[in-house]
Amino acid sequence: MDTGKHELPQLFQQLGLGGDAAAIDEFLAKHRLEHGVEVADAPFWSPAQADFLRQALESDAEWAEAVDELATLLSQ
């Protein structure tokens, strides 16, 4: 069982993206969620990334808090 702390940098790494502050900032600058679009349904995710995000939210997994944070940041 994975009991590690899952924050935004670890979420980005889990998604196969750079998890350092500069990489996160760059991703957020280039990607936005349109109004009414759920984070897992955004067109910029690969199918595997979208599935991971969807499962994290649906199962209220330990990743859910980081995914919610990501969704908030993408909506700003």
Side-chain angles (χ1 to χ4, degrees), residues 1-47:
M1 173 183 266
D2 181 11
T3 58
K5 188 160 175 78
H6 301 303
E7 295 182 353
L8 206 55
Q10 290 78 26
L11 176 61
F12 270 73
Q13 292 171 346
Q14 184 69 23
L15 293 168
L17 304 169
D20 62 90
I24 292 171
D25 288 345
E26 181 179 348
F27 183 88
L28 294 173
K30 291 181 178 180
H31 299 90
R32 291 285 170 224
L33 278 180
E34 297 295 324
H35 180 71
V37 175
E38 298 292 326
V39 66
D41 296 329
F44 44 81
W45 301 122
S46 72

